[in-house]
Amino acid sequence: MSTRVLTGITTTGTPHLGNYAGAIRPAIQASRQPGIDGFYFMADYHALIKCDDPARVARSRLELAATWLAAGLDTERVTFYRQSDIPEIPELCWLLTCVTAKGLMNRAHAYKASVDQNAAKGVDPDDGITMGLFSYPILMAADILLFNAHKVPVGRDQIQHLEMARDIAQRFNHLYGREYFVLPEVVIEEEVATLPGLDGRKMSKSYNNTIPLFEGGAAALRAAVMRIVTDSRQPGEPKDAEASHLYTLYRAFSTPAESAAFRAQLEEGLGWGDAKQALCERIERDLAPMRERYQDLIANPGRIEEILQAGAQKARKLATPFIAELREAVGLRTLGAAQATGKAARKSGKSARFVSFRDDDGRFRFRLLAADGQELLRSAGFDNPKEAGALMQRLQAGAADSLRADGLAYAAVLDGEPVAHGPAAADAAQRDALIEQTRQALAALGG
């Protein structure tokens, strides 16, 4: 079975060297691994939250697409698309919005940071905060859940959003009684390069300390590298390679042998000017052929559009039937289909099943549902989802004799402790019937 990995980059500016080394290059390398089903998209709806300059958004979409293609993304192997070309994404966003607690959004880091900034200024807490910023995590959840991605590589600042996507997915699964969504796993790429900019801080457009990737050609690359801040040590004086931003940048583009040689030269007294020239030459070896492809693509945007439309068509082959299934789940059915609903229809073709979910208190639970959707057992809460999963497996694997009457209700008891409880009955006869129904459901699941 392949693992679906999903990565998106917001279209708010021109890609720089840090974007390439930190996100684009590792994503392309990962897409070439066997067993990986890669989904790569340009998050242009997200761009509208951060940027109100239409020309900049439009230009960034072109430049970012050209960058991915020039850097070697194989669009025959992966699914490459623009977020705004998939209408199922905003539709799913609304379905998820309707099951997401406002309190969850109140805890989002970006929203809280904006509120804190307003408080420091002495203005209204929500001054200047749009619903786009407030609901950003739900749109991100829709990006991920529409394609049921198994793994999502993100920076540490995005971990909370992945946790929210899991919470939202669990809530939807719980409300509608089926595992519609895979719970995505966060992937933190510890080895991925975080490149320093001209001033030593993380390379970022926010700091205006970036090194251009393709724009401006080799001359712009060299001009930026020559502005990198170094210490005052003169040629001939040994340099501290580990403390040098030049060495960090060089290492991100070189083989271990090359970086070791460069380090030795610095420690032997290589001058900063010569070191910067060596860095330019090493980076240029990688970028020159890609830059040529990039410039050709920028000059032929129609080619890029064809590739993106093909990618959107490929993505929608999955998205369209899935959103139809979700519409059915929430009751947005055609009138003919609506006539077929009811208990008998729900029973048809279904069997008893376990459903796991995360409750509003943040704890993990599971339910045992009968074929008609009736709840037969609801577990206690667990801090660790693995605990809930392990008990679910034990019940499914042959613990049908664990059921015990508890007044007019009943419980599943393992190792002397009740781990799940059944509903209260009207009388003892109904309780015993429910216990027998639950026992049969567990036996059928144990198969």
Side-chain angles (χ1 to χ4, degrees):
M1 178 180 173
S2 62
T3 298
R4 183 164 293 164
V5 179
L6 182 141
T7 296
I9 296 184
T10 309
T11 56
T12 52
T14 301
H16 55 70
L17 203 66
N19 298 141
Y20 171 71
I24 296 171
R25 183 177 64 183
I28 292 174
Q29 290 171 343
S31 73
R32 296 168 180 162
Q33 297 175 6
I36 296 297
D37 180 17
F39 278 63
Y40 299 88
F41 71 98
M42 292 185 294
D44 48 357
Y45 278 145
H46 287 294
L48 303 182
I49 301 169
K50 304 176 182 178
C51 181
D52 58 3
D53 182 349
R56 183 180 175 188
V57 171
R59 180 67 185 177
S60 180
R61 296 202 314 166
L62 172 64
E63 291 173 340
L64 193 55
T67 298
W68 277 101
L69 297 172
L73 186 68
D74 183 353
T75 56
E76 295 297 320
R77 184 184 182 95
V78 306
T79 305
F80 180 54
Y81 57 97
R82 274 180 306 229
Q83 184 186 37
S84 59
D85 286 333
I86 314 298
E88 291 81 6
I89 291 175
E91 181 171 358
L92 176 57
C93 183
W94 180 249
L95 298 185
L96 299 179
T97 297
C98 292
V99 304
T100 301
K102 178 179 178 289
L104 183 64
M105 295 297 97
N106 288 343
R107 295 192 289 274
H109 296 325
Y111 172 66
K112 288 173 65 178
S114 296
V115 170
D116 290 344
Q117 289 171 7
N118 284 336
K121 295 175 186 175
V123 298
D124 184 87
D126 287 327
D127 184 61
I129 297 175
T130 66
M131 286 304 298
L133 173 66
F134 184 71
S135 304
Y136 171 91
I138 307 177
L139 180 56
M140 184 171 172
D143 292 327
I144 297 165
L145 299 177
L146 181 63
F147 298 107
N148 273 326
H150 301 104
K151 297 188 176 183
V152 184
V154 296
R156 292 196 173 277
D157 60 334
Q158 293 288 322
I159 292 176
Q160 185 197 43
H161 290 153
L162 260 293
E163 292 173 344
M164 288 179 166
R166 290 175 60 92
D167 287 343
I168 294 167
Q170 287 174 318
R171 181 66 176 164
F172 190 98
N173 289 347
H174 168 56
L175 285 173
Y176 294 105
R178 234 187 72 194
E179 300 291 317
Y180 289 97
F181 297 120
V182 169
L183 302 187
E185 295 180 19
V186 63
V187 178
I188 301 297
E189 302 280 359
E190 298 289 0
E191 299 301 317
V192 168
T194 299
L195 298 189
L198 307 183
D199 57 3
R201 291 180 295 177
K202 177 184 175 182
M203 193 179 299
S204 170
K205 293 185 289 289
S206 302
Y207 301 142
N208 194 29
N209 68 349
T210 61
I211 297 174
L213 182 60
F214 298 136
E215 289 298 298
L221 171 67
R222 187 178 190 282
V225 169
M226 291 301 168
R227 296 200 307 274
I228 294 174
V229 175
T230 56
D231 62 32
S232 60
R233 298 182 204 190
Q234 298 299 310
E237 291 186 67
K239 312 297 190 297
D240 182 354
E242 287 298 329
S244 167
H245 310 319
L246 296 180
Y247 177 64
T248 303
L249 287 161
Y250 193 95
R251 188 169 51 191
F253 287 87
S254 62
T255 65
E258 289 171 336
S259 61
F262 185 65
R263 176 178 183 144
Q265 287 179 303
L266 288 172
E267 292 173 344
E268 291 167 4
L270 181 68
W272 289 126
D274 291 336
K276 290 178 179 180
Q277 181 60 35
L279 174 60
C280 284
E281 292 172 357
R282 182 61 193 85
I283 295 175
E284 185 63 15
R285 275 168 48 194
D286 283 2
L287 296 194
M290 288 190 283
R291 188 185 298 117
E292 185 176 347
R293 293 193 295 270
Y294 174 85
Q295 291 169 343
D296 181 56
L297 286 161
I298 289 290
N300 295 279
R303 281 179 53 199
I304 301 177
E305 186 66 28
E306 289 176 5
I307 292 169
L308 289 170
Q309 289 301 324
Q313 185 176 10
K314 186 176 177 182
R316 294 197 67 199
K317 285 182 179 178
L318 295 174
T320 302
F322 187 42
I323 205 72
E325 184 180 353
L326 297 175
R327 288 172 65 89
E328 175 80 14
V330 302
L332 302 180
R333 309 179 179 105
T334 61
L335 296 182
Q339 292 176 347
T341 60
K343 183 176 286 189
R346 289 195 301 271
K347 288 181 180 179
S348 176
K350 290 191 176 182
S351 59
R353 61 200 183 277
F354 278 110
V355 176
S356 59
F357 63 98
R358 193 174 188 178
D359 218 335
D360 291 338
D361 62 1
R363 308 194 79 196
F364 297 91
R365 303 176 189 270
F366 62 81
R367 299 190 299 166
L368 173 64
L369 302 179
D372 62 359
Q374 179 187 7
E375 185 178 288
L376 299 176
L377 286 174
R378 178 184 288 252
S379 77
F382 301 92
D383 294 327
N384 188 328
K386 292 183 179 179
E387 294 180 64
L391 289 173
M392 201 160 49
Q393 290 178 356
R394 286 183 64 185
L395 288 171
Q396 186 170 330
D401 58 350
S402 65
L403 301 177
R404 303 283 186 272
D406 181 16
L408 292 180
Y410 57 98
V413 179
L414 294 176
D415 302 325
E417 295 291 334
V419 296
H421 296 271
D427 52 42
Q430 185 185 38
R431 178 204 62 200
D432 293 343
L434 282 170
I435 291 176
E436 182 56 29
Q437 183 182 0
T438 304
R439 183 174 288 116
Q440 291 179 9
L442 289 172
L445 285 170

